[in-house]
Amino acid sequence: FTRHSFLTREGVERDTSSIIDSNTLSARAVFVFYTPGSGTTTVLQVRANFIGEKVMHANIKVDHFSILEGEDLITYAAVQLITLIYVAVLFINGVKELLKMRRNYVYLGMDYRLDYMCMMLTDIAVAVFLSVFQINRLRYKIDSASNTAETVGTITSIPWADSSLSPGEKTVTFLDIVQDLLQLMSDAESSNQILTYTLVFLIGRILVATSCHPRLALLTGTIARSLDDLWHTAMLVVTTMCFFASIGVWLFGEERDEFANFETAMQTLFEMMIMNELPVNWGSSTNLVLYSVTYSLVIGMIVLNFLLAIVVDSYMKVRDFNIDFETELEFVTDFFCCVVGRILSYYHKWPSKVVVAAEIEKCIKKNIGLDELRSIQKFGSISQATSFLRHYSRFSALQPKPIEAPEYLPMADEVERRVAMMLGTAPSTRSARRAYNATTSEVNKVNGIDSTLKKHTEMLEMIAERLGMVDFPEYKPLNSNRGNCDELGVCGNHENILGSNPHEGLASL
């Protein structure tokens, strides 16, 4: 600007004083610097955007393009090669886990785990993005020296002092070279943009990976539980901000730069919400005071407090779940146990934990012992099942649970006793009924009957029908009215239990 009395605008030479006029929307100045010592080419761009007659926004952008030669290029290529190996392992592992999940679904009938599938798909996407970035970046760095030498050499070879060429021709040549340099930097910036997306995926992958342990899943669990409420709260906040931005542009658009247009007003309101700062000289106008105070009250004290309440409520639910979680020990301990379990699995050649869990799910017993594990065909020998049982029985959450008598046994005893009284016989004991059921079960297996439940049900229905009962009323134990009972449960005072009419006593059951 200072050396020349003219500049080019749209390919036409113009006087410096008239390069910017009232019709100018934006102006950009481009400066090119080359530092031979570090092999760096720098492009400085200053852009001025004109908004109205009095408002101007200036933006400065600096781009660097460095060259690599000799040992630096070899070191860079070696590092990128190691990164590509890691990316290949990441990609292969993701595909392998997805195929394994599909096999479990086809052969074992196990449902797909959506969260784990998303994690593997994220790994594959990250591997693809990193591969594209590394290959493009490596290609740019290999050709960086030759490209920079060609571009800078062409710029320095322009015959600025040659009077046979017009200034326009020299300027066009210079701008073409600068445009080629900017295109080269734009390509490098595009690859950097791919890396930016990859980093976003990696951040999401790390956050999702924290859900592997309940204690680390506080963040992801809280967000997952409150996601629906957060979405509707965000809709409310955006709608409110659009409403206040429209009012701000209408009232203060001609006076204040913060509300010059809708976009600028939204940016100002966002800064007020996040930074909790009011506009400069907000007390200079009564309307601005009312506007700022109203917005602060609605957004800062009401909406944001609702948002905080939603997050806190979800956090407390996740925290209560972690407190009641039986199998969780502590992250370092659980990680150590996982490593030890994997080593023992390889050493003893245990079957897949997913397969064993699927087989155990089919077992109706509460406690699984050596006999049940031996019945799983995936265990090749007794020693494998024994070592498996010995290892996992050390965890407190997997200790055998005591088997309690079912709730219906006292009712069954009461029915047996009352029917025996009506028939004038002694009621049978539980051991006698257990032996009878075992014998009957063997007979039923021969006759093609799965269990004795159907036969017992028909017997009770027949008794109820003869007593004139349609449905059995709610069970009410009569232990409080009992006298002295013998070992078989027969009480000496029958009248206190059944009343004057045995049928009424049975009906009250």
Side-chain angles (χ1 to χ4, degrees), residues 18 85 118 145 169 191 199 225 275 331 372 392 413:
S18 63
I85 294 175
C118 292
E169 293 176 347
S191 63
L199 292 176
R225 285 181 176 271
M275 306 299 295
F331 175 73
E372 288 76 19
Y392 284 101
D413 292 341

Side-chain angles (χ1 to χ4, degrees), residues 97-122:
E97 291 297 324
L98 289 178
L99 294 177
K100 181 180 178 181
M101 190 180 302
R102 184 179 180 277
R103 287 196 302 268
N104 293 335
Y105 174 77
V106 173
Y107 297 107
L108 300 178
M110 300 179 61
D111 295 333
Y112 286 103
R113 288 178 51 191
L114 184 59
D115 55 344
Y116 191 70
M117 182 186 301
C118 292
M119 291 174 62
M120 294 301 102
L121 291 176
T122 303

